[in-house]
Short mmCIF file of all heavy atoms in Angstrom, two decimals:
data_model
loop_
_atom_site.label_atom_id
_atom_site.label_comp_id
_atom_site.label_asym_id
_atom_site.label_seq_id
_atom_site.Cartn_x
_atom_site.Cartn_y
_atom_site.Cartn_z
N ALA A 177 3.68 -50.49 -77.95
CA ALA A 177 3.97 -51.92 -78.48
C ALA A 177 2.95 -52.53 -79.24
O ALA A 177 3.10 -53.21 -80.25
CB ALA A 177 4.44 -52.74 -77.31
N MET A 178 1.67 -52.18 -78.93
CA MET A 178 0.56 -52.83 -79.55
C MET A 178 0.46 -52.19 -80.95
O MET A 178 0.02 -53.00 -81.84
CB MET A 178 -0.79 -52.53 -78.73
CG MET A 178 -2.00 -53.40 -79.26
SD MET A 178 -1.81 -55.15 -79.09
CE MET A 178 -3.33 -55.82 -79.64
N ASP A 179 0.62 -50.98 -81.05
CA ASP A 179 0.47 -50.25 -82.34
C ASP A 179 1.61 -50.79 -83.36
O ASP A 179 1.35 -51.02 -84.61
CB ASP A 179 0.75 -48.73 -82.17
CG ASP A 179 -0.22 -48.04 -81.30
OD1 ASP A 179 -1.37 -48.68 -81.22
OD2 ASP A 179 0.01 -47.01 -80.75
N ARG A 180 2.76 -51.16 -82.86
CA ARG A 180 3.79 -51.76 -83.68
C ARG A 180 3.30 -52.95 -84.46
O ARG A 180 3.89 -53.18 -85.66
CB ARG A 180 4.98 -52.01 -82.82
CG ARG A 180 6.21 -52.47 -83.64
CD ARG A 180 7.32 -52.83 -82.66
NE ARG A 180 7.38 -54.18 -82.33
CZ ARG A 180 7.15 -54.71 -81.24
NH1 ARG A 180 6.82 -54.00 -80.19
NH2 ARG A 180 7.13 -55.99 -80.93
N LEU A 181 2.52 -53.74 -83.91
CA LEU A 181 2.16 -54.95 -84.43
C LEU A 181 1.42 -54.90 -85.81
O LEU A 181 1.39 -55.78 -86.56
CB LEU A 181 1.27 -55.76 -83.48
CG LEU A 181 1.95 -56.12 -82.15
CD1 LEU A 181 1.07 -56.97 -81.28
CD2 LEU A 181 3.29 -56.53 -82.20
N SER A 182 0.80 -53.78 -86.05
CA SER A 182 0.00 -53.57 -87.36
C SER A 182 0.84 -52.59 -88.24
O SER A 182 0.31 -52.30 -89.39
CB SER A 182 -1.24 -52.99 -87.16
OG SER A 182 -1.17 -51.70 -86.38
N MET A 183 2.13 -52.33 -88.00
CA MET A 183 2.96 -51.49 -88.81
C MET A 183 3.72 -52.32 -89.79
O MET A 183 4.03 -53.58 -89.40
CB MET A 183 3.82 -50.62 -88.00
CG MET A 183 3.03 -49.63 -87.10
SD MET A 183 4.26 -48.73 -85.88
CE MET A 183 5.23 -47.85 -87.03
N THR A 184 4.17 -51.78 -90.84
CA THR A 184 5.20 -52.33 -91.72
C THR A 184 6.37 -51.50 -91.88
O THR A 184 6.35 -50.26 -91.71
CB THR A 184 4.56 -52.68 -93.19
OG1 THR A 184 4.13 -51.43 -93.70
CG2 THR A 184 3.49 -53.62 -93.01
N PHE A 185 7.48 -52.00 -92.25
CA PHE A 185 8.74 -51.29 -92.17
C PHE A 185 9.48 -51.62 -93.60
O PHE A 185 9.57 -52.79 -93.98
CB PHE A 185 9.69 -51.68 -91.07
CG PHE A 185 8.99 -51.22 -89.68
CD1 PHE A 185 8.28 -52.30 -89.18
CD2 PHE A 185 9.28 -50.18 -89.15
CE1 PHE A 185 7.55 -51.97 -87.89
CE2 PHE A 185 8.74 -49.87 -87.87
CZ PHE A 185 7.82 -50.66 -87.28
N PRO A 186 10.02 -50.72 -94.30
CA PRO A 186 10.65 -50.95 -95.56
C PRO A 186 11.86 -51.74 -95.49
O PRO A 186 12.23 -52.36 -96.55
CB PRO A 186 10.97 -49.60 -96.12
CG PRO A 186 11.11 -48.67 -94.88
CD PRO A 186 10.08 -49.25 -93.94
N ASP A 187 12.60 -51.71 -94.40
CA ASP A 187 13.82 -52.47 -94.32
C ASP A 187 14.25 -52.45 -92.80
O ASP A 187 13.60 -51.93 -91.96
CB ASP A 187 15.04 -51.91 -95.04
CG ASP A 187 15.23 -50.38 -94.76
OD1 ASP A 187 15.11 -49.97 -93.61
OD2 ASP A 187 15.59 -49.61 -95.75
N ARG A 188 15.23 -53.38 -92.54
CA ARG A 188 15.68 -53.58 -91.23
C ARG A 188 16.33 -52.34 -90.54
O ARG A 188 16.06 -52.15 -89.33
CB ARG A 188 16.72 -54.75 -91.04
CG ARG A 188 16.04 -56.07 -91.46
CD ARG A 188 16.93 -57.26 -91.27
NE ARG A 188 16.24 -58.50 -91.42
CZ ARG A 188 15.66 -59.20 -90.45
NH1 ARG A 188 15.68 -58.72 -89.22
NH2 ARG A 188 14.99 -60.26 -90.77
N ALA A 189 16.82 -51.44 -91.31
CA ALA A 189 17.36 -50.17 -90.80
C ALA A 189 16.31 -49.32 -90.31
O ALA A 189 16.40 -48.69 -89.32
CB ALA A 189 18.16 -49.43 -91.93
N ALA A 190 15.02 -49.36 -90.84
CA ALA A 190 13.93 -48.59 -90.54
C ALA A 190 13.43 -49.12 -89.20
O ALA A 190 12.93 -48.35 -88.26
CB ALA A 190 12.84 -48.56 -91.45
N TYR A 191 13.32 -50.47 -89.02
CA TYR A 191 12.88 -50.99 -87.79
C TYR A 191 13.90 -50.72 -86.60
O TYR A 191 13.48 -50.36 -85.50
CB TYR A 191 12.81 -52.57 -87.90
CG TYR A 191 11.90 -53.16 -86.93
CD1 TYR A 191 10.73 -52.83 -86.59
CD2 TYR A 191 12.43 -54.29 -86.06
CE1 TYR A 191 9.95 -53.39 -85.59
CE2 TYR A 191 11.73 -54.85 -85.25
CZ TYR A 191 10.28 -54.39 -84.99
OH TYR A 191 9.60 -55.09 -83.94
N ARG A 192 15.17 -50.70 -86.92
CA ARG A 192 16.17 -50.33 -85.87
C ARG A 192 15.91 -48.88 -85.48
O ARG A 192 16.01 -48.52 -84.28
CB ARG A 192 17.63 -50.53 -86.53
CG ARG A 192 18.71 -50.14 -85.58
CD ARG A 192 20.08 -50.27 -86.09
NE ARG A 192 20.34 -51.72 -86.51
CZ ARG A 192 20.33 -52.19 -87.72
NH1 ARG A 192 20.20 -51.35 -88.79
NH2 ARG A 192 20.54 -53.42 -88.07
N ALA A 193 15.76 -47.96 -86.46
CA ALA A 193 15.58 -46.57 -86.15
C ALA A 193 14.18 -46.47 -85.28
O ALA A 193 14.20 -45.60 -84.33
CB ALA A 193 15.38 -45.75 -87.45
N PHE A 194 13.20 -47.24 -85.60
CA PHE A 194 12.02 -47.17 -84.80
C PHE A 194 12.27 -47.35 -83.29
O PHE A 194 11.85 -46.68 -82.53
CB PHE A 194 11.02 -48.10 -85.41
CG PHE A 194 9.73 -48.22 -84.45
CD1 PHE A 194 8.59 -47.43 -84.75
CD2 PHE A 194 9.68 -49.29 -83.60
CE1 PHE A 194 7.52 -47.67 -83.89
CE2 PHE A 194 8.46 -49.46 -82.91
CZ PHE A 194 7.51 -48.57 -83.06
N TRP A 195 12.99 -48.45 -83.06
CA TRP A 195 13.28 -48.78 -81.70
C TRP A 195 14.35 -47.86 -81.02
O TRP A 195 14.21 -47.64 -79.86
CB TRP A 195 13.73 -50.21 -81.70
CG TRP A 195 12.67 -51.24 -81.58
CD1 TRP A 195 12.19 -52.05 -82.55
CD2 TRP A 195 11.85 -51.49 -80.47
NE1 TRP A 195 11.29 -52.76 -82.17
CE2 TRP A 195 10.98 -52.54 -80.82
CE3 TRP A 195 11.81 -51.01 -79.10
CZ2 TRP A 195 9.95 -53.03 -79.90
CZ3 TRP A 195 10.90 -51.59 -78.27
CH2 TRP A 195 10.02 -52.56 -78.80
N GLN A 196 15.32 -47.47 -81.85
CA GLN A 196 16.30 -46.59 -81.23
C GLN A 196 15.65 -45.20 -80.84
O GLN A 196 16.30 -44.56 -79.91
CB GLN A 196 17.40 -46.26 -82.26
CG GLN A 196 18.36 -47.40 -82.41
CD GLN A 196 19.36 -47.19 -83.55
OE1 GLN A 196 19.22 -46.49 -84.43
NE2 GLN A 196 20.70 -47.78 -83.27
N ALA A 197 14.52 -44.85 -81.29
CA ALA A 197 13.81 -43.70 -80.92
C ALA A 197 12.93 -43.93 -79.68
O ALA A 197 12.39 -42.90 -79.23
CB ALA A 197 12.84 -43.03 -82.08
N HIS A 198 12.79 -45.10 -79.29
CA HIS A 198 11.99 -45.47 -78.14
C HIS A 198 12.71 -44.92 -76.81
O HIS A 198 13.86 -45.11 -76.64
CB HIS A 198 11.84 -46.99 -77.94
CG HIS A 198 10.76 -47.45 -77.02
ND1 HIS A 198 10.94 -47.24 -75.62
CD2 HIS A 198 9.66 -48.03 -77.16
CE1 HIS A 198 9.86 -47.72 -75.06
NE2 HIS A 198 9.07 -48.31 -75.96
N PRO A 199 12.01 -44.15 -76.02
CA PRO A 199 12.74 -43.59 -74.79
C PRO A 199 13.24 -44.55 -74.00
O PRO A 199 14.50 -44.24 -73.28
CB PRO A 199 11.50 -42.90 -74.04
CG PRO A 199 10.47 -42.72 -75.11
CD PRO A 199 10.57 -43.76 -76.11
N ALA A 200 12.93 -45.80 -73.88
CA ALA A 200 13.53 -46.78 -73.07
C ALA A 200 14.91 -47.17 -73.49
O ALA A 200 15.73 -47.53 -72.70
CB ALA A 200 12.62 -48.02 -72.84
#
Side-chain angles (χ1 to χ4, degrees):
M178 192 68 179
D179 297 335
R180 184 186 91 246
L181 305 187
S182 58
M183 297 171 65
T184 59
F185 299 85
D187 53 37
R188 290 183 174 273
Y191 197 54
R192 178 180 298 112
F194 172 86
W195 274 106
Q196 286 178 325
H198 193 295

